[in-house]
Amino acid sequence: MTDYYSILEVQRGAPDDEVKKAYRRLAMKWHPDRNSGSKEAEEKFKDITEAYDVLRDPQKRAMYDRYGEAGLRGGGGASDFHHFDLSEALGVFMRDFGGFGGIDEMFGGARHGGSVRTGADVKVTVQLSLGEVATGVDRTLLLKLLDACDRCEGNGAEPGTQPQTCTTCAGVGEVRRAQRSFFGQFVSVAPCPTCKGEGQVVASPCRKCRGEGRVRAERTIEVKIPAGVASGQYMTLRGVGNAGSRGGALGDVHVVFEVADDPRFERDGEDLYTEVLATYPQLVLGGTIEVPTVDATMTLEIPPATQSGQVFHLRGRGLARVNASGTGDLHVRVQLWTPEDVSSEEHAVLQQLHALRPRVELSSRGKGFWSRMKEALGA
Ligand SMILES: [Zn+2]
Ligand SMILES: [Zn+2]
């Protein structure tokens, strides 16, 4: 014979609130929503709910205490007794613990991800220059979104009236049907048709928001954009987006970054690449050349016999690593500049140079030539 007391793990004679508490605890563990369709959990949930439904009702409990299960079957106003199927068990659970408040409280205050009343997320794109990426920047963003209506304080009901808990779904916003199929019983869940999933119905809608609980508004938010972000990356600001309908929670704001191209640089994460030109005498004799950095310029000392295409690595002159410590490098490729208009004086000197060294002398390659060539070619 089924022992409802041991199923609920309470003593015979346990007071009502203890029975209720025990059921809450067990339902939390065995509710089908929390056990992704486990057959065992379903059975447990049916058993505990049936036990709870008998023990919470003083009349049924008295009959059960005196005659056991037979007492529930025979007469005494409880003659409709039968074992619960899943939809009945879920119905009892909703009846006594239903409504968002009840369930949220029960499931540790965590909102169900897909609550229909949570406001929709908002996406805003922020344009940044590479200079702003280098330093990080504070931005004030103007958002057009939905705010809670001030006339009805967001609940959608005309002041002086209250929204009512939907009777079709007992405020849960979903209707469940346990259906039998060839493979057994399964539960289907659909938004409640009466309240469209909101759990409440408004009999006299607020005149300002027509019962929506929300009105169009503009809101500014401050965003601290860290250094080093890249196009396509985004940050999420929780709970500052659209108001939910009828008092639902605020949605999130996703701030998406779009970094404008800087013609001076190629970017690879935190590393920057740039190209500078040098004259033939600068390459041969060595010297200083101006190199652009994100926010200024700096001078680069190149040694004598620098090859055209040689790359210099300026450590820490790139961009900050986002959400990490350290800074990337600036890679500078030095290229030979060929002037297009030469004066007659230059022409004469170049002819002299040419006469002195009419062709590339492969035999005169110095030590390290190939390694510098390889690097110049990006190998
Ligand atoms: Zn309103
Ligand atoms: Zn409903």
Side-chain angles (χ1 to χ4, degrees):
M1 167 194 138
T2 30
D3 180 352
Y4 289 144
Y5 290 100
S6 67
I7 287 173
L8 279 189
E9 298 168 16
V10 294
Q11 300 289 321
R12 271 185 106 80
D16 284 354
D17 60 332
E18 209 172 288
V19 168
K20 196 166 175 176
K21 230 186 266 172
Y23 173 66
R24 278 172 79 107
R25 185 173 52 77
L26 291 169
M28 203 142 137
K29 186 170 169 194
W30 297 113
H31 193 285
D33 276 2
R34 312 197 94 198
N35 290 278
S36 52
S38 149
K39 207 72 208 157
E40 189 209 351
E42 239 172 54
E43 289 305 314
K44 285 269 195 196
F45 184 72
K46 285 194 287 188
D47 289 347
I48 57 169
T49 306
E50 185 180 308
Y52 162 74
D53 195 54
V54 169
L55 297 185
R56 62 166 278 286
D57 180 312
Q59 204 183 342
K60 286 187 199 169
R61 184 170 176 178
M63 294 303 282
Y64 176 75
D65 282 349
R66 200 175 278 189
Y67 305 109
E69 212 179 288
L72 300 170
R73 289 182 194 286
S79 56
D80 60 342
F81 177 81
H82 57 276
H83 289 298
F84 274 0
D85 67 23
L86 187 57
S87 66
E88 285 170 306
L90 289 166
V92 166
F93 175 78
M94 277 187 203
R95 181 193 66 203
D96 290 8
F97 297 93
F100 281 103
I103 287 180
D104 278 351
E105 188 194 336
M106 200 156 172
F107 288 164
R111 241 173 201 291
H112 291 251
S115 167
V116 285
R117 297 209 294 175
T118 301
D121 292 351
V122 184
K123 189 176 111 174
V124 272
T125 304
V126 174
Q127 313 276 346
L128 299 168
S129 68
L130 199 61
E132 288 172 318
V133 169
T135 54
V137 66
D138 293 345
R139 278 290 178 84
T140 304
L141 305 178
L142 178 67
L143 304 177
K144 289 182 195 298
L145 35 64
L146 296 167
D147 249 339
C149 171
D150 54 349
R151 182 176 169 84
C152 61
E153 289 171 340
N155 71 18
E158 185 64 6
T161 71
Q162 283 296 321
Q164 305 296 314
T165 301
C166 172
T167 49
T168 308
C169 63
V172 176
E174 293 175 342
V175 283
R176 287 157 188 272
R177 283 183 199 89
Q179 297 179 324
R180 283 176 204 286
S181 77
F182 187 74
F183 299 105
Q185 189 170 259
F186 66 95
V187 184
S188 68
V189 181
C192 171
T194 308
C195 61
K196 298 189 176 59
E198 295 194 352
Q200 292 189 324
V201 284
V202 172
S204 34
C206 165
R207 273 188 286 141
K208 183 167 178 185
C209 65
R210 294 197 215 94
E212 251 285 281
R214 303 181 288 187
V215 288
R216 294 192 177 283
E218 288 188 343
R219 204 187 304 151
T220 54
I221 56 169
E222 305 292 326
V223 197
K224 220 174 195 25
I225 299 167
V229 300
S231 287
Q233 290 180 337
Y234 65 95
M235 56 197 277
T236 298
L237 309 172
R238 303 241 172 253
V240 294
N242 283 309
S245 67
R246 295 186 199 145
L250 268 62
D252 301 335
V253 173
H254 303 292
V255 181
V256 185
F257 306 121
E258 213 171 271
V259 181
D261 276 340
D262 187 318
R264 299 170 302 165
F265 303 103
E266 296 273 342
R267 180 179 177 186
D268 180 17
E270 64 267 18
D271 282 355
L272 293 175
Y273 295 82
T274 193
E275 213 167 73
V276 291
L277 297 173
T279 63
Y280 177 64
Q282 280 179 310
L283 292 181
V284 176
L285 304 174
T288 56
I289 46 177
E290 293 273 293
V291 171
T293 63
V294 173
D295 44 6
T297 59
M298 60 179 290
T299 51
L300 171 67
E301 199 81 36
I302 59 168
T306 294
Q307 297 298 321
S308 179
Q310 199 168 325
V311 179
F312 296 86
H313 308 280
L314 306 181
R315 307 270 169 232
R317 293 293 185 154
L319 299 170
R321 286 186 185 91
V322 69
N323 294 329
S325 63
T327 309
D329 304 329
L330 174 61
H331 306 277
V332 183
R333 186 183 292 268
V334 178
Q335 297 280 22
L336 172 65
W337 174 63
T338 307
E340 285 167 8
D341 52 335
V342 287
S343 63
S344 54
E345 200 182 343
E346 284 174 307
H347 199 269
V349 175
L350 286 166
Q351 290 235 301
Q352 255 182 297
L353 266 178
H354 178 63
L356 289 169
R357 210 188 281 257
R359 64 186 65 83
V360 175
E361 293 163 33
L362 290 174
S363 58
S364 72
R365 295 192 300 257
K367 196 163 172 267
F369 174 88
W370 280 116
S371 62
R372 277 178 293 155
M373 274 309 280
K374 265 171 80 177
E375 192 175 37
L377 297 169

